[in-house]
Amino acid sequence: MKRLDTQVGIVGAGPAGLLLGHLLHLEGIDSIIVEDRGRDHVIERVRAGVLEQATVDLLIEIGAGERLRREGMRHGGIYICFSGRHHRIDFEELTGGRSITVYGQNEVVKDLIAIRCATGRPLYFEVEDVRIADFESAPRIAFRKGGEEIAIACDFIAGCDGGHGICRSSITTQRLQTYEKLYPFGWLGILAAAPPGSRELVYSLHERGFALFSMRSPSVTRLYLQCAPDEDLTAWPADRIWDELTARLASDDGWCPNRGPILQKGITGMRSFVAEPMRCGRLFLAGDSAHIVPPTGAKGLNLAAADVWTLSRALAAWYRDGREDLLNSYSAQCLRRVWRAQRFSWWMTSMLHRAPGAGDFDYRRQLAELEYVTSSRAAMTSLAENYAGFPLQ
Ligand code: APR
Ligand code: PHB
């Protein structure tokens, strides 16, 4: 068996694990990252794509923002569409200049992997059978790589292994309180080779259900439509998808999304989930391993970034000054932001989807809410400040 030592053992090379690794590197703290999938899979996996102002600022500050600055698409607001009309919410004007940036999560991951490799610090892909042990006292991570058994002894473990990882499930259920809400619908998402026909995102509530217009580049559009959680993708040939997107997103003045070849399609489930506390002994959970939000508020990646920023501050204070207070307040500090984002994501989701079984009353109430949200400055400001996101603190 091969034995390795490090200060922080990081499980998972998604945005949370990779960003934490780099934040620790900048503090002079050693880490080893282990990831059970291959590098190409991690880079190519299409996920969300909206970065809050604070996430963009952080990536730039740590030197991971070069391509983001060049290729990221800065948006000063979004459109909300209902009853055939598009209404703009101007984030910059309502929040004193904050904006969002559209840049695929897989691009963030690609940039962070390149930075990690440039530091020369270890990042193991395609490891098997990852286990963690003794995280109350002397933490260890064990795994196999190419048939060899490897054990890492570390001071702390960061569980950045997403919603289906092993870190959260290694904590006995009595030590965790979990909160969950399942939504009775999913999203059918496509990536299409079509130039985006709107400069900004369009969130739409239509009689036939929710639809979202987004983008990845000047030549690639990303679109979603509400479907059943167990929708059969084979029942959705390209024409049906485009007709449904057009019906749900088009405005009375003739706008509709540009069509093009579909490059990728998939179904995403919708779930809200929180595990508390986000720490057990010397194991700290961060990102999707601790909490899942439905994608409507575009918060998942941003919450992961805020968690690991908070954790890196706490670990730095511990290594530098022997201070434990920030490690002790890590969970509570993250959970405040997490629940605020949960509330916002739930609210956006409920306002913009048609739940099966909900009647005409609910639909009319949703339209009234949208009318209010797009006309009252107070309501627009609330949406704008939550969507553009709050500073890291
Ligand atoms: N061992 C090692 N790695 C693992 C294991 C395991 N047992 N289980 C999962 N992983 C890896 C996954 O393959 C993935 O690369 O952990 C990583 C977790 O990354 P993400 O799922 O991207 O989660 P996170 O880094 O917290 O980022 C949150 O991802 O799902 C989106 O919308 C979400 O944008 C949010 C972001
Ligand atoms: C995306 O571009 O993938 C996207 C944008 C906004 C969301 C969710 C996903 O709310």
Side-chain angles (χ1 to χ4, degrees):
M1 189 204 294
K2 186 160 148 188
R3 292 178 193 281
L4 304 171
D5 281 303
T6 192
Q7 290 175 303
V8 182
I10 301 176
V11 184
L18 291 164
L19 184 54
L20 178 63
H22 195 58
L23 289 164
L24 294 178
H25 164 75
L26 295 174
E27 297 289 345
I29 300 169
D30 286 336
S31 65
I32 297 178
I33 306 180
V34 297
E35 162 63 50
D36 67 354
R37 309 302 292 259
R39 176 193 299 243
D40 292 346
H41 175 87
V42 171
I43 289 177
E44 279 154 27
R45 197 165 41 184
V46 176
R47 294 272 190 78
V50 175
L51 307 184
E52 292 176 3
Q53 181 78 59
T55 308
V56 171
D57 293 345
L58 177 63
L59 289 169
I60 291 174
E61 189 187 313
I62 65 167
E66 198 223 325
R67 205 160 59 91
L68 164 63
R69 262 186 156 140
R70 236 182 315 122
E71 296 175 20
M73 291 174 281
R74 198 168 160 275
H75 290 189
I78 56 168
Y79 289 96
I80 295 200
C81 169
F82 59 97
S83 307
R85 290 207 332 271
H86 287 191
H87 306 257
R88 183 156 190 273
I89 313 270
D90 189 334
F91 294 167
E92 285 181 314
E93 202 253 325
L94 292 159
T95 64
R98 296 219 300 277
S99 61
I100 54 161
T101 298
V102 175
Y103 189 67
Q105 176 172 319
N106 53 319
E107 306 298 339
V108 174
V109 164
K110 195 171 167 181
D111 297 343
L112 290 171
I113 289 176
I115 284 197
R116 176 75 180 181
C117 294
T119 65
R121 293 195 189 269
L123 163 55
Y124 293 93
F125 286 105
E126 289 180 86
V127 304
E128 288 171 75
D129 193 20
V130 179
R131 287 142 284 150
I132 59 171
D134 297 339
F135 44 82
E136 302 275 10
S137 49
R140 275 177 298 121
I141 302 176
F143 60 95
R144 273 198 317 281
K145 170 85 185 152
E148 185 181 24
E149 180 74 18
I150 303 182
I152 303 174
C154 45
D155 301 331
F156 299 99
I157 296 176
C160 301
D161 50 348
H164 305 286
I166 50 103
C167 288
R168 191 185 67 241
S169 53
S170 302
I171 303 173
T172 52
T173 48
Q174 297 95 302
R175 308 278 305 264
L176 281 185
Q177 175 85 43
T178 58
Y179 303 86
E180 183 171 32
K181 181 173 176 62
L182 294 171
Y183 299 85
F185 36 75
W187 281 8
L188 191 167
I190 63 163
L191 204 59
S198 161
R199 273 209 16 81
E200 293 174 338
L201 273 52
V202 183
Y203 287 83
S204 180
L205 173 66
H206 186 271
E207 256 182 293
R208 303 168 70 90
F210 170 78
L212 169 61
F213 168 93
S214 178
M215 62 200 71
R216 283 294 177 275
S217 74
S219 55
V220 176
T221 308
R222 178 94 172 127
L223 299 128
Y224 300 93
L225 52 89
Q226 178 185 344
C227 62
D230 55 352
E231 192 77 41
D232 174 13
L233 257 186
T234 60
W236 288 87
D239 284 349
R240 182 175 176 209
I241 294 177
W242 284 117
D243 290 347
E244 198 60 40
L245 285 167
T246 304
R248 296 187 194 184
L249 285 163
S251 59
D252 291 344
D253 62 11
W255 185 86
C256 67
N258 293 329
R259 297 187 181 204
I262 295 179
L263 306 171
Q264 245 191 57
K265 58 179 175 177
I267 309 276
T268 316
M270 308 271 283
R271 187 159 88 99
S272 302
F273 173 85
V274 182
E276 295 188 11
M278 288 168 58
R279 170 193 189 174
C280 182
R282 291 172 162 257
L283 166 63
F284 291 82
L285 302 177
D288 274 19
S289 76
H291 41 74
I292 306 283
V293 284
T296 327
K299 289 284 162 240
L301 172 56
N302 299 293
L303 282 180
D307 287 353
V308 296
W309 178 81
T310 307
L311 184 54
S312 71
R313 300 300 87 190
L315 288 167
W318 193 83
Y319 280 110
R320 200 180 42 231
D321 308 319
R323 273 176 60 187
E324 251 181 87
D325 56 329
L326 297 183
L327 289 172
N328 292 337
S329 60
Y330 167 75
S331 175
Q333 190 179 336
C334 291
L335 285 167
R336 272 196 299 277
R337 179 181 278 264
V338 167
W339 278 107
R340 186 156 58 185
Q342 289 288 2
R343 195 239 20 119
F344 176 67
S345 306
W346 163 86
W347 173 73
M348 286 282 280
T349 303
S350 317
M351 177 170 69
L352 288 163
H353 290 73
R354 295 209 71 187
D360 292 342
F361 175 86
D362 293 290
Y363 186 50
R364 294 303 294 263
R365 176 185 52 74
Q366 284 171 282
L367 293 177
E369 179 152 25
L370 287 165
E371 190 71 51
Y372 175 60
V373 160
T374 52
S375 58
S376 148
R377 190 176 171 88
M380 283 193 280
T381 305
S382 166
L383 192 159
E385 69 173 357
N386 279 282
Y387 198 111
F390 298 92
L392 295 170
Q393 49 188 310

